[in-house]
Amino acid sequence: MAANDYDARSNGNFDEVAVTAANDENGGVYIFEYRDGEAGHQVPPSRMPSLEAAREEAVRCAIDLLVDLQPGTEDLSGWLVRVRDENGEVLCAIDVREAQAARQTRQ
């Protein structure tokens, strides 16, 4: 069954549409997860203007977390901050190496 006039006039190969993100003119909803030892700690969802803005916030937070890591006593590898969508899918992860590089760039 055709969903609209365009599909009704087509050859029957209807366009398939899939929702991949819950964004609108106000941006999207993102969940930040922070490394806490060997586990992660999620904070309540936040509305951000874009994934790029959420990623930039994750980098800023990862740089802040570097200060709290104790060289020689804590594992300084792996992720520090992950950004998830409303469904819990990981959209990006900022690891120690990326946070250290961003900190050096910003100094």
XYZ file of all heavy atoms in Angstrom:
822
model
N 0.850 -1.180 0.000
C 0.000 0.000 0.000
C 0.892 1.237 0.000
O 1.837 1.332 0.775
C -0.867 -0.017 1.250
C -1.861 1.069 1.334
S -3.477 0.305 1.243
C -4.395 1.529 0.460
N 0.594 2.174 -0.846
C 1.377 3.402 -0.956
C 1.096 4.319 0.228
O -0.034 4.493 0.637
C 1.047 4.117 -2.255
N 2.159 4.902 0.763
C 2.043 5.800 1.913
C 1.750 7.235 1.501
O 1.283 8.020 2.301
C 3.320 5.751 2.738
N 2.020 7.574 0.224
C 1.795 8.938 -0.248
C 1.611 8.925 -1.767
O 1.724 7.878 -2.403
C 2.957 9.849 0.171
C 4.293 9.314 -0.296
O 4.441 8.907 -1.451
N 5.268 9.316 0.605
N 1.311 10.089 -2.355
C 1.071 10.177 -3.800
C 2.301 9.779 -4.610
O 2.182 9.140 -5.649
C 0.641 11.597 -4.195
C -0.769 11.911 -3.734
O -1.535 10.955 -3.498
O -1.088 13.104 -3.618
N 3.465 10.140 -4.141
C 4.699 9.805 -4.847
C 4.832 8.288 -4.970
O 5.101 7.759 -6.044
C 5.906 10.395 -4.121
C 7.233 9.938 -4.689
C 7.749 10.517 -5.843
C 7.958 8.919 -4.090
C 8.953 10.095 -6.383
C 9.158 8.496 -4.613
C 9.656 9.079 -5.765
O 10.839 8.658 -6.294
N 4.657 7.584 -3.858
C 4.745 6.134 -3.888
C 3.639 5.522 -4.748
O 3.855 4.522 -5.423
C 4.683 5.556 -2.472
C 5.991 5.708 -1.715
O 7.014 6.036 -2.353
O 5.994 5.500 -0.482
N 2.455 6.129 -4.734
C 1.341 5.605 -5.538
C 1.654 5.683 -7.025
O 1.234 4.817 -7.804
C 0.063 6.379 -5.218
N 2.413 6.702 -7.449
C 2.776 6.854 -8.861
C 4.035 6.064 -9.237
O 4.382 5.968 -10.396
C 3.005 8.333 -9.180
C 1.733 9.170 -9.140
C 1.977 10.591 -9.647
N 3.106 11.246 -9.004
C 3.033 12.009 -7.918
N 1.877 12.208 -7.323
N 4.111 12.577 -7.417
N 4.722 5.501 -8.247
C 5.981 4.810 -8.532
C 5.720 3.404 -9.064
O 4.591 2.960 -9.198
C 6.842 4.743 -7.269
O 6.318 3.764 -6.393
N 6.791 2.685 -9.309
C 6.689 1.337 -9.852
C 6.510 0.276 -8.769
O 6.644 -0.914 -9.037
C 7.925 1.015 -10.693
C 9.198 1.039 -9.863
O 9.153 1.257 -8.664
N 10.324 0.811 -10.520
N 6.241 0.686 -7.552
C 6.047 -0.270 -6.473
C 7.263 -0.458 -5.594
O 7.192 -1.120 -4.577
N 8.387 0.100 -5.985
C 9.587 0.042 -5.155
C 9.560 1.228 -4.190
O 10.172 2.246 -4.418
C 10.860 0.091 -6.008
C 11.007 -1.134 -6.855
O 10.573 -2.206 -6.465
N 11.596 -0.981 -8.030
N 8.817 1.073 -3.128
C 8.642 2.170 -2.189
C 9.928 2.440 -1.424
O 10.681 1.531 -1.096
C 7.527 1.856 -1.191
C 6.206 1.554 -1.859
C 5.459 0.462 -1.470
C 5.729 2.356 -2.871
C 4.255 0.192 -2.068
C 4.516 2.090 -3.481
C 3.773 0.993 -3.078
N 10.168 3.714 -1.159
C 11.335 4.104 -0.373
C 11.143 3.594 1.055
O 10.065 3.687 1.617
C 11.488 5.626 -0.338
C 11.787 6.195 -1.719
O 12.324 5.451 -2.554
O 11.479 7.373 -1.934
N 12.209 3.047 1.610
C 12.167 2.604 2.979
C 12.790 3.680 3.846
O 13.860 4.183 3.538
C 12.956 1.303 3.117
C 12.324 0.347 4.084
C 13.055 -0.969 4.085
O 12.876 -1.741 3.142
O 13.827 -1.180 5.030
N 12.127 4.035 4.917
C 12.621 5.069 5.805
C 12.860 4.450 7.174
O 12.003 3.752 7.695
C 11.610 6.232 5.919
C 12.104 7.278 6.904
C 11.354 6.841 4.564
N 14.029 4.708 7.736
C 14.347 4.220 9.072
C 14.741 5.405 9.936
O 15.452 6.293 9.498
C 15.497 3.219 9.014
N 14.257 5.409 11.162
C 14.633 6.456 12.102
C 15.961 6.060 12.725
O 16.081 4.993 13.319
C 13.554 6.635 13.181
C 13.995 7.661 14.213
C 12.242 7.046 12.549
N 16.973 6.909 12.567
C 18.289 6.592 13.105
C 18.680 7.500 14.262
O 19.642 7.223 14.944
C 19.365 6.702 12.008
O 19.339 8.024 11.479
C 19.119 5.705 10.905
N 17.950 8.581 14.472
C 18.268 9.473 15.581
C 17.028 10.243 15.976
O 16.145 10.468 15.156
C 19.367 10.457 15.178
N 16.971 10.613 17.235
C 15.842 11.389 17.731
C 16.281 12.842 17.845
O 16.538 13.342 18.921
C 15.383 10.850 19.075
N 16.407 13.508 16.725
C 16.825 14.906 16.690
C 15.718 15.751 16.096
O 14.963 15.300 15.255
C 18.088 15.085 15.843
C 19.284 14.407 16.445
O 19.387 14.281 17.658
N 20.176 13.956 15.605
N 15.661 16.974 16.534
C 14.737 17.931 15.944
C 15.465 19.265 15.854
O 16.678 19.318 16.002
C 13.431 18.018 16.752
C 13.651 18.435 18.203
O 14.718 18.989 18.534
O 12.740 18.202 19.012
N 14.721 20.342 15.648
C 15.371 21.640 15.506
C 16.077 22.084 16.782
O 16.909 22.975 16.763
C 14.358 22.707 15.061
C 13.246 22.981 16.055
C 12.072 22.012 15.984
O 12.028 21.152 15.089
O 11.188 22.110 16.849
N 15.780 21.434 17.907
C 16.429 21.755 19.172
C 17.614 20.848 19.471
O 18.197 20.916 20.531
C 15.424 21.654 20.319
C 14.302 22.656 20.167
O 14.526 23.789 19.781
N 13.087 22.230 20.444
N 17.967 19.976 18.547
C 19.095 19.067 18.744
C 18.629 17.676 19.098
O 17.548 17.256 18.724
N 19.455 16.963 19.831
C 19.151 15.590 20.201
C 19.375 15.361 21.683
O 19.893 16.213 22.392
N 18.976 14.193 22.126
C 19.143 13.815 23.517
C 20.305 12.834 23.596
O 20.339 11.848 22.855
C 17.848 13.197 24.087
C 18.059 12.691 25.496
C 16.723 14.216 24.040
N 21.244 13.108 24.485
C 22.447 12.302 24.623
C 22.648 11.925 26.083
O 22.316 12.699 26.988
C 23.672 13.068 24.112
C 23.514 13.480 22.668
C 23.047 14.741 22.333
C 23.797 12.585 21.642
C 22.871 15.114 21.010
C 23.630 12.948 20.316
C 23.165 14.217 20.009
O 22.994 14.568 18.695
N 23.194 10.746 26.289
C 23.495 10.258 27.632
C 25.011 10.152 27.741
O 25.651 9.502 26.915
C 22.843 8.890 27.883
C 21.324 8.999 27.708
C 23.202 8.361 29.273
C 20.625 7.667 27.591
N 25.574 10.790 28.752
C 27.012 10.749 28.977
C 27.312 9.687 30.030
O 26.641 9.613 31.060
C 27.525 12.111 29.450
C 27.480 13.159 28.373
C 26.316 13.867 28.107
C 28.607 13.425 27.611
C 26.267 14.819 27.105
C 28.575 14.378 26.609
C 27.395 15.073 26.351
N 28.320 8.887 29.732
C 28.765 7.849 30.662
C 30.228 8.120 30.997
O 31.054 8.271 30.102
C 28.617 6.473 30.026
C 29.023 5.343 30.926
C 28.823 3.982 30.287
O 28.637 3.895 29.064
O 28.867 2.997 31.031
N 30.520 8.205 32.278
C 31.858 8.528 32.738
C 32.506 7.304 33.368
O 31.864 6.558 34.106
C 31.813 9.672 33.762
C 31.216 10.912 33.176
C 29.868 11.207 33.341
C 31.990 11.779 32.423
C 29.313 12.338 32.774
C 31.444 12.917 31.859
C 30.102 13.186 32.042
O 29.555 14.305 31.473
N 33.763 7.119 33.072
C 34.515 6.002 33.642
C 34.669 6.219 35.130
O 35.016 7.308 35.593
C 35.877 5.929 32.969
C 36.768 4.825 33.485
C 37.980 4.755 32.606
N 39.123 4.237 33.335
C 40.313 4.108 32.791
N 40.530 4.475 31.551
N 41.302 3.614 33.486
N 34.408 5.168 35.871
C 34.529 5.198 37.324
C 35.243 3.917 37.731
O 34.605 2.907 37.969
C 33.148 5.296 37.956
C 33.203 5.482 39.459
O 34.292 5.740 39.992
O 32.139 5.357 40.096
N 36.563 3.965 37.729
C 37.347 2.755 37.972
C 37.201 1.807 36.798
O 37.463 2.169 35.666
N 36.747 0.617 37.063
C 36.546 -0.374 36.002
C 35.128 -0.329 35.435
O 34.825 -1.020 34.472
C 36.845 -1.782 36.527
C 38.294 -1.993 36.902
C 39.235 -1.802 35.712
O 38.937 -2.319 34.620
O 40.261 -1.126 35.884
N 34.259 0.460 36.014
C 32.867 0.534 35.582
C 32.571 1.907 35.005
O 33.452 2.747 34.883
C 31.949 0.250 36.777
N 31.320 2.112 34.651
C 30.877 3.401 34.129
C 29.723 3.944 34.945
O 28.996 3.193 35.594
N 29.578 5.241 34.912
C 28.495 5.925 35.624
C 27.773 6.826 34.630
O 28.386 7.721 34.055
C 29.063 6.753 36.782
C 28.061 7.622 37.446
N 27.082 7.126 38.274
C 27.865 8.952 37.388
C 26.322 8.131 38.689
N 26.783 9.251 38.171
N 26.485 6.556 34.412
C 25.706 7.382 33.483
C 25.006 8.489 34.238
O 24.555 8.298 35.361
C 24.669 6.534 32.751
C 25.274 5.579 31.768
C 24.217 4.836 30.961
O 23.023 5.033 31.147
N 24.653 3.982 30.072
N 24.923 9.643 33.588
C 24.181 10.765 34.149
C 22.869 10.892 33.382
O 22.734 10.334 32.288
C 25.005 12.074 34.090
C 26.248 11.953 34.957
C 25.377 12.438 32.684
N 21.899 11.603 33.931
C 20.624 11.748 33.224
C 20.818 12.326 31.819
O 21.760 13.089 31.575
C 19.828 12.711 34.109
C 20.412 12.511 35.480
C 21.870 12.249 35.244
N 19.932 11.974 30.900
C 20.041 12.465 29.511
C 20.085 13.985 29.437
O 19.479 14.681 30.247
C 18.769 11.927 28.853
C 18.369 10.760 29.682
C 18.775 11.100 31.087
N 20.826 14.483 28.447
C 20.967 15.921 28.210
C 20.586 16.232 26.774
O 20.877 15.463 25.873
C 22.422 16.365 28.407
O 22.884 16.046 29.668
N 19.983 17.383 26.557
C 19.696 17.845 25.202
C 20.875 18.693 24.748
O 21.298 19.596 25.450
C 18.418 18.653 25.142
C 18.087 19.107 23.718
C 16.680 19.608 23.592
N 15.667 18.583 23.691
C 15.341 17.735 22.708
N 15.975 17.778 21.575
N 14.398 16.845 22.878
N 21.408 18.341 23.594
C 22.536 19.067 23.008
C 22.150 19.448 21.587
O 21.352 18.756 20.954
C 23.797 18.192 22.987
C 24.242 17.636 24.329
S 24.904 18.856 25.450
C 26.455 19.211 24.709
N 22.730 20.538 21.047
C 22.354 20.987 19.703
C 22.728 20.009 18.596
O 22.096 19.993 17.550
C 23.089 22.310 19.525
C 23.983 22.472 20.682
C 23.640 21.453 21.704
N 23.758 19.168 18.831
C 24.185 18.229 17.787
C 25.088 17.173 18.406
O 25.567 17.334 19.536
C 24.956 18.966 16.687
O 26.179 19.477 17.210
N 25.343 16.123 17.638
C 26.292 15.108 18.089
C 27.676 15.723 18.233
O 28.409 15.400 19.168
C 26.327 13.922 17.121
C 27.364 12.843 17.436
C 27.196 12.289 18.848
C 27.300 11.735 16.402
N 28.040 16.624 17.347
C 29.350 17.276 17.438
C 29.480 18.059 18.743
O 30.526 18.040 19.395
C 29.597 18.188 16.239
C 30.988 18.786 16.203
C 32.115 17.755 16.245
O 31.984 16.676 15.650
O 33.143 18.035 16.900
N 28.418 18.739 19.156
C 28.442 19.473 20.428
C 28.552 18.499 21.602
O 29.288 18.761 22.564
C 27.197 20.333 20.569
N 27.848 17.374 21.520
C 27.934 16.364 22.573
C 29.341 15.782 22.631
O 29.893 15.563 23.713
C 26.901 15.264 22.330
N 29.934 15.533 21.477
C 31.289 14.992 21.427
C 32.287 15.992 22.015
O 33.189 15.612 22.765
C 31.670 14.655 19.989
C 32.974 13.929 19.880
C 33.309 13.568 18.432
N 34.437 12.692 18.364
C 35.664 12.986 18.765
N 35.929 14.170 19.269
N 36.639 12.112 18.689
N 32.136 17.262 21.708
C 33.032 18.293 22.247
C 32.912 18.361 23.772
O 33.912 18.518 24.480
C 32.720 19.651 21.614
C 33.659 20.749 22.013
C 35.119 20.481 21.654
O 35.395 19.807 20.644
O 36.002 20.945 22.400
N 31.696 18.229 24.274
C 31.491 18.210 25.727
C 32.158 16.971 26.338
O 32.764 17.047 27.411
C 29.996 18.222 26.052
C 29.675 18.120 27.521
C 30.124 19.317 28.350
O 30.531 20.353 27.784
O 30.078 19.214 29.586
N 32.074 15.841 25.652
C 32.710 14.616 26.132
C 34.228 14.778 26.187
O 34.871 14.333 27.148
C 32.323 13.436 25.244
N 34.809 15.425 25.191
C 36.255 15.670 25.187
C 36.626 16.574 26.366
O 37.593 16.299 27.087
C 36.715 16.300 23.852
C 38.146 16.814 23.937
C 36.569 15.308 22.709
N 35.870 17.630 26.587
C 36.139 18.545 27.697
C 36.077 17.804 29.033
O 36.955 17.956 29.889
C 35.139 19.703 27.698
C 35.464 20.790 28.715
C 34.325 21.771 28.877
N 33.116 21.166 29.406
C 32.948 20.783 30.668
N 33.915 20.916 31.546
N 31.814 20.252 31.061
N 35.076 16.960 29.198
C 34.937 16.191 30.439
C 36.065 15.170 30.598
O 36.553 14.950 31.704
C 33.577 15.487 30.477
S 32.195 16.626 30.613
N 36.472 14.541 29.498
C 37.567 13.569 29.546
C 38.860 14.242 29.976
O 39.636 13.678 30.762
C 37.729 12.888 28.192
N 39.098 15.454 29.501
C 40.290 16.209 29.916
C 40.240 16.453 31.427
O 41.243 16.284 32.126
C 40.402 17.538 29.135
C 40.732 17.255 27.667
C 41.447 18.454 29.769
C 40.632 18.469 26.767
N 39.062 16.807 31.937
C 38.907 17.013 33.379
C 39.169 15.721 34.157
O 39.760 15.751 35.236
C 37.512 17.535 33.712
C 37.285 18.973 33.261
O 38.280 19.669 32.947
O 36.116 19.390 33.216
N 38.738 14.586 33.606
C 38.950 13.305 34.281
C 40.423 12.925 34.327
O 40.852 12.231 35.257
C 38.151 12.198 33.593
C 36.634 12.230 33.799
C 35.964 11.164 32.955
C 36.284 12.039 35.267
N 41.203 13.359 33.347
C 42.636 13.051 33.345
C 43.314 13.535 34.615
O 44.235 12.890 35.123
C 43.322 13.696 32.132
C 43.127 13.046 30.787
C 43.798 13.883 29.703
C 43.645 11.624 30.769
N 42.872 14.663 35.127
C 43.465 15.256 36.320
C 43.314 14.305 37.511
O 44.204 14.209 38.362
C 42.808 16.625 36.634
C 43.292 17.198 37.946
C 43.050 17.582 35.495
N 42.201 13.582 37.563
C 41.925 12.703 38.694
C 42.614 11.343 38.596
O 42.669 10.614 39.589
C 40.417 12.483 38.837
C 39.689 13.775 39.171
O 40.316 14.671 39.774
O 38.496 13.886 38.826
N 43.111 10.976 37.428
C 43.777 9.681 37.276
C 45.153 9.715 37.927
O 45.884 10.699 37.796
C 43.905 9.312 35.799
C 42.596 9.049 35.060
C 42.887 8.752 33.594
C 41.829 7.898 35.686
N 45.484 8.662 38.597
C 46.756 8.573 39.299
C 47.732 7.694 38.508
O 47.582 6.475 38.501
C 46.549 7.966 40.693
C 45.586 8.735 41.570
C 46.062 10.139 41.857
O 47.242 10.349 42.138
N 45.165 11.097 41.778
N 48.724 8.308 37.830
C 49.707 7.499 37.099
C 50.397 6.506 38.032
O 50.752 6.837 39.150
C 50.698 8.530 36.554
C 49.962 9.830 36.595
C 49.005 9.727 37.750
N 50.542 5.277 37.547
C 51.203 4.244 38.334
C 50.258 3.454 39.212
O 50.557 2.340 39.601
N 49.107 4.027 39.553
C 48.145 3.302 40.391
C 46.864 2.968 39.646
O 46.135 2.087 40.059
C 47.780 4.110 41.650
O 47.191 5.347 41.249
C 49.010 4.384 42.507
N 46.577 3.680 38.565
C 45.361 3.430 37.789
C 45.720 3.125 36.346
O 46.735 3.603 35.826
C 44.427 4.642 37.833
C 43.855 4.906 39.206
C 42.780 5.968 39.161
O 41.716 5.687 38.601
O 43.034 7.065 39.670
N 44.874 2.322 35.712
C 45.045 2.002 34.300
C 44.769 3.260 33.480
O 43.671 3.804 33.519
C 44.081 0.887 33.908
C 44.191 0.489 32.448
O 45.202 0.847 31.796
O 43.276 -0.178 31.961
N 45.773 3.738 32.778
C 45.623 4.951 31.977
C 45.346 4.615 30.514
O 45.813 5.286 29.604
C 46.879 5.831 32.102
C 47.182 6.337 33.502
C 48.420 7.219 33.491
C 46.005 7.088 34.074
N 44.578 3.577 30.290
C 44.168 3.227 28.927
C 42.658 3.067 28.906
O 42.005 3.064 29.939
C 44.857 1.927 28.485
O 44.432 0.858 29.304
N 42.125 2.945 27.714
C 40.683 2.748 27.580
C 39.903 4.044 27.553
O 40.459 5.134 27.513
N 38.608 3.898 27.592
C 37.716 5.045 27.459
C 37.594 5.807 28.775
O 37.743 5.247 29.853
C 36.350 4.589 26.972
C 35.605 3.749 27.968
C 35.734 2.392 28.169
C 34.622 4.193 28.909
N 34.905 1.981 29.173
C 34.210 3.056 29.647
C 34.079 5.422 29.202
C 33.242 3.127 30.651
C 33.120 5.504 30.204
C 32.715 4.359 30.908
N 37.307 7.098 28.644
C 37.023 7.951 29.799
C 35.568 8.419 29.798
O 34.925 8.454 30.838
C 37.936 9.178 29.796
C 39.414 8.926 30.059
C 40.203 10.209 29.872
C 39.616 8.358 31.449
N 35.079 8.796 28.612
C 33.707 9.291 28.479
C 33.102 8.677 27.220
O 33.748 8.643 26.170
C 33.655 10.835 28.368
C 32.216 11.318 28.233
C 34.328 11.485 29.561
N 31.878 8.182 27.354
C 31.144 7.681 26.197
C 29.855 8.481 26.066
O 29.249 8.873 27.065
C 30.805 6.200 26.347
C 32.016 5.317 26.301
C 31.673 3.864 26.168
N 31.335 3.283 27.448
C 31.558 2.004 27.764
N 32.109 1.197 26.880
N 31.220 1.539 28.943
N 29.457 8.710 24.827
C 28.191 9.392 24.536
C 27.267 8.362 23.916
O 27.618 7.689 22.940
C 28.394 10.582 23.572
C 27.058 11.247 23.255
C 29.369 11.592 24.163
N 26.074 8.240 24.484
C 25.071 7.290 24.006
C 23.831 8.040 23.529
O 23.573 9.158 23.970
C 24.671 6.323 25.116
C 25.824 5.457 25.617
C 25.363 4.556 26.764
N 26.424 3.701 27.227
C 26.706 2.504 26.728
N 25.973 2.025 25.742
N 27.701 1.784 27.202
N 23.071 7.393 22.649
C 21.794 7.980 22.257
C 20.720 7.526 23.244
O 21.008 6.828 24.219
C 21.445 7.621 20.809
C 21.177 6.140 20.582
O 21.016 5.371 21.557
O 21.127 5.735 19.407
N 19.489 7.924 23.002
C 18.383 7.599 23.910
C 18.166 6.099 24.064
O 17.643 5.651 25.072
C 17.087 8.233 23.403
C 17.035 9.715 23.564
C 15.731 10.287 23.073
O 15.515 10.275 21.847
O 14.928 10.729 23.923
N 18.564 5.333 23.065
C 18.387 3.884 23.101
C 19.575 3.164 23.721
O 19.597 1.942 23.769
C 18.143 3.356 21.689
C 16.899 3.955 21.083
O 15.875 4.083 21.738
N 16.983 4.338 19.833
N 20.593 3.917 24.141
C 21.753 3.317 24.780
C 22.875 2.941 23.836
O 23.905 2.430 24.277
N 22.711 3.201 22.548
C 23.759 2.897 21.579
C 24.914 3.886 21.738
O 24.701 5.091 21.839
C 23.227 2.993 20.147
C 22.201 1.947 19.799
C 22.778 0.548 19.759
O 23.912 0.369 19.268
O 22.086 -0.368 20.234
N 26.146 3.373 21.763
C 27.320 4.233 21.884
C 27.533 4.971 20.564
O 27.657 4.351 19.510
C 28.585 3.422 22.248
C 29.814 4.320 22.253
C 28.418 2.750 23.601
N 27.549 6.296 20.626
C 27.766 7.136 19.448
C 29.231 7.513 19.298
O 29.730 7.644 18.185
C 26.906 8.391 19.529
C 25.402 8.158 19.645
C 24.680 9.478 19.880
C 24.875 7.459 18.412
N 29.913 7.719 20.410
C 31.347 7.998 20.380
C 31.917 7.729 21.766
O 31.192 7.712 22.757
C 31.646 9.424 19.923
S 31.175 10.718 21.081
N 33.204 7.496 21.799
C 33.916 7.275 23.061
C 35.226 8.044 23.003
O 35.930 8.013 22.003
C 34.163 5.788 23.274
N 35.527 8.730 24.081
C 36.778 9.479 24.180
C 37.703 8.672 25.085
O 37.378 8.408 26.249
C 36.540 10.888 24.770
C 35.408 11.623 24.039
C 37.838 11.685 24.752
C 35.572 11.738 22.553
N 38.843 8.264 24.538
C 39.777 7.467 25.324
C 40.871 8.353 25.919
O 40.930 9.560 25.661
C 40.360 6.314 24.509
C 41.164 6.770 23.291
O 41.551 7.949 23.209
O 41.413 5.920 22.424
N 41.711 7.744 26.732
C 42.773 8.480 27.425
C 43.693 9.169 26.424
O 44.026 10.347 26.584
C 43.568 7.527 28.350
C 44.783 8.230 28.933
C 42.676 6.998 29.457
N 44.091 8.453 25.381
C 45.014 9.014 24.391
C 44.416 10.251 23.711
O 45.087 11.272 23.568
C 45.378 7.944 23.353
C 46.489 8.371 22.418
C 46.877 7.252 21.451
N 45.808 7.040 20.483
C 45.144 5.888 20.316
N 45.443 4.836 21.015
N 44.182 5.800 19.421
N 43.150 10.176 23.327
C 42.503 11.322 22.677
C 42.363 12.495 23.643
O 42.550 13.653 23.259
C 41.134 10.908 22.136
C 40.447 11.991 21.349
C 39.140 11.548 20.725
O 38.775 10.367 20.821
O 38.478 12.421 20.112
N 42.048 12.211 24.899
C 41.922 13.285 25.893
C 43.266 13.954 26.140
O 43.343 15.182 26.247
C 41.354 12.728 27.192
N 44.340 13.151 26.210
C 45.670 13.729 26.406
C 46.067 14.610 25.219
O 46.610 15.698 25.402
C 46.707 12.624 26.624
C 46.571 11.952 27.970
C 47.447 10.716 28.105
O 47.764 10.050 27.129
N 47.805 10.387 29.335
N 45.776 14.161 24.004
C 46.094 14.954 22.813
C 45.293 16.246 22.792
O 45.825 17.320 22.481
C 45.822 14.134 21.552
N 44.012 16.176 23.151
C 43.177 17.382 23.179
C 43.666 18.350 24.248
O 43.672 19.570 24.031
C 41.716 16.993 23.433
N 44.087 17.831 25.376
C 44.602 18.704 26.449
C 45.848 19.432 25.980
O 46.000 20.635 26.210
C 44.889 17.895 27.710
C 45.442 18.757 28.844
C 45.558 18.030 30.139
N 46.484 16.918 30.017
C 46.764 16.097 31.024
N 46.185 16.253 32.183
N 47.621 15.119 30.854
N 46.747 18.734 25.297
C 47.975 19.372 24.797
C 47.660 20.417 23.752
O 48.270 21.477 23.713
C 48.921 18.314 24.227
C 49.532 17.451 25.290
C 50.383 16.326 24.717
O 50.392 16.111 23.519
N 51.077 15.611 25.580
N 46.689 20.139 22.895
C 46.298 21.087 21.849
C 45.716 22.363 22.455
O 45.961 23.457 21.952
C 45.259 20.453 20.909
O 45.850 19.291 20.310
C 44.807 21.404 19.829
N 44.974 22.224 23.539
C 44.290 23.372 24.141
C 45.180 24.187 25.060
O 44.793 25.263 25.493
C 43.050 22.891 24.893
C 42.032 22.331 23.923
C 40.878 21.735 24.604
N 39.986 21.132 23.609
C 38.765 20.765 23.829
N 38.233 20.926 25.016
N 38.038 20.231 22.870
N 46.354 23.686 25.379
C 47.237 24.427 26.283
C 47.979 25.517 25.566
O 48.225 25.604 24.471
C 48.235 23.488 26.954
C 47.578 22.635 27.991
C 48.553 21.674 28.669
O 49.679 21.482 28.224
N 48.127 21.083 29.747
